[in-house]
Amino acid sequence: SAVISQKPSRDICQRGTSLTIQCQVDSQVTMMFWYRQQPGQSLTLIATANQGSEATYESGFVIDKFPISRPNLTFSTLTVSNMSPEDSSIYLCSVHDRGPYYEQYFGPGTRLTVT
Amino acid sequence: QKEVEQNSGPLSVPEGAIASLNCTYSDRGSQSFFWYRQYSGKSPELIMFIYSNGDKEDGRFTAQLNKASQYVSLLIRDSQPSDSATYLCAVYTGGFKTIFGAGTRLFVKA
């Protein structure tokens, strides 16, 4: 299975600022996914990032707030812009394995607190 | 809208018992089915996947799939306190889309 790392692992930010989260995979993958998980809640998909094309955003998420880059097949970034306390959450990067069953693997997550 | 439903729990079982976790899904075209374990403060970890009707066993874990009933379950035999976690059911519906359930919290009492 793919090994995924994320940076930073956690951060405390002031409202109005932006934070860029990095996701690195140890193998080439086509699709990368960014999720948000608020305390005690399930996963919410923010967007899907395919190398070489614009990210596809889910309902309720917009590019101006969550710009995503996908410069190559092993790396992606998610920026949380103009943060408010409501953005406090865990942000998770995920990838599909190369196998035929589309199992997903998750990075360790970035715990963001906005004050 | 495609959905995956799980009982939120908590499900409490004594150590050594069998824990049974259940999940239903709405999309009959779903192709692959997954169970993730998530410890508090950690990211989800894939523990089982199944894609054909019947049972799939891996150690103490058994995944069961019934496509006619749109039902997938996870059995944990000889439950241990270390199994206490939230278990997420997930369904791959095609088009690079995986739908996650809200999760069932499991407590295994020593």
Side-chain angles (χ1 to χ4, degrees):
Chain A
S1 62
V3 177
I4 307 167
S5 60
Q6 284 184 239
K7 288 194 291 186
S9 59
R10 60 178 62 227
D11 207 341
I12 301 173
C13 302
Q14 292 192 336
R15 70 171 64 214
T17 62
S18 298
L19 175 72
T20 295
I21 302 168
Q22 299 179 9
C23 177
Q24 180 75 52
V25 189
D26 70 341
S27 58
Q28 293 183 340
V29 293
T30 303
M31 307 297 289
M32 297 180 78
F33 307 89
W34 287 98
Y35 288 85
R36 182 170 74 182
Q37 188 174 36
Q38 295 178 314
Q41 303 296 313
S42 189
L43 302 168
T44 300
L45 180 63
I46 297 171
T48 301
N50 192 359
Q51 194 267 337
S53 62
E54 293 288 327
T56 302
Y57 289 83
E58 297 298 303
S59 176
F61 297 95
V62 295
I63 188 172
D64 290 346
K65 175 69 175 178
F66 297 101
I68 288 171
S69 78
R70 182 78 202 275
N72 58 51
L73 291 172
T74 63
F75 187 78
S76 178
T77 67
L78 170 74
T79 299
V80 187
S81 303
N82 188 24
M83 289 184 285
S84 66
E86 292 71 37
D87 294 319
S88 297
S89 189
I90 297 173
Y91 291 84
L92 293 156
C93 172
S94 177
V95 304
H96 272 150
D97 195 60
R98 284 176 163 262
Y101 306 115
Y102 298 94
E103 58 267 38
Q104 281 186 232
Y105 295 92
F106 289 85
T110 296
R111 182 180 295 272
L112 171 62
T113 302
V114 183
T115 60
Chain B
Q1 183 171 345
K2 299 174 183 177
E3 294 181 337
V4 174
E5 300 284 343
Q6 294 182 256
N7 188 321
S8 63
L11 173 65
S12 184
V13 300
E15 184 175 359
I18 296 175
S20 178
L21 304 163
N22 305 313
C23 171
T24 59
Y25 59 94
S26 63
D27 183 6
R28 285 195 171 273
S30 299
Q31 303 172 21
S32 308
F33 307 84
F34 310 97
W35 285 98
Y36 290 82
R37 177 177 62 199
Q38 186 173 26
Y39 293 115
S40 180
K42 301 294 186 182
S43 63
E45 173 193 10
L46 180 65
I47 56 172
M48 289 288 288
F49 72 88
I50 188 167
Y51 55 88
S52 59
N53 277 326
D55 295 0
K56 179 181 178 182
E57 187 174 316
D58 184 0
R60 295 186 297 113
F61 299 100
T62 298
Q64 299 175 316
L65 174 62
N66 184 326
K67 288 188 176 181
S69 301
Q70 295 176 243
Y71 178 92
V72 57
S73 65
L74 178 70
L75 301 178
I76 306 174
R77 291 181 298 281
D78 188 24
S79 295
Q80 301 297 309
S82 59
D83 295 325
S84 297
T86 296
Y87 289 80
L88 304 175
C89 174
V91 175
Y92 178 71
T93 59
F96 302 108
K97 286 286 189 181
T98 299
I99 311 298
F100 286 83
T104 298
R105 287 181 295 153
L106 172 66
F107 291 107
V108 180
K109 299 173 294 185

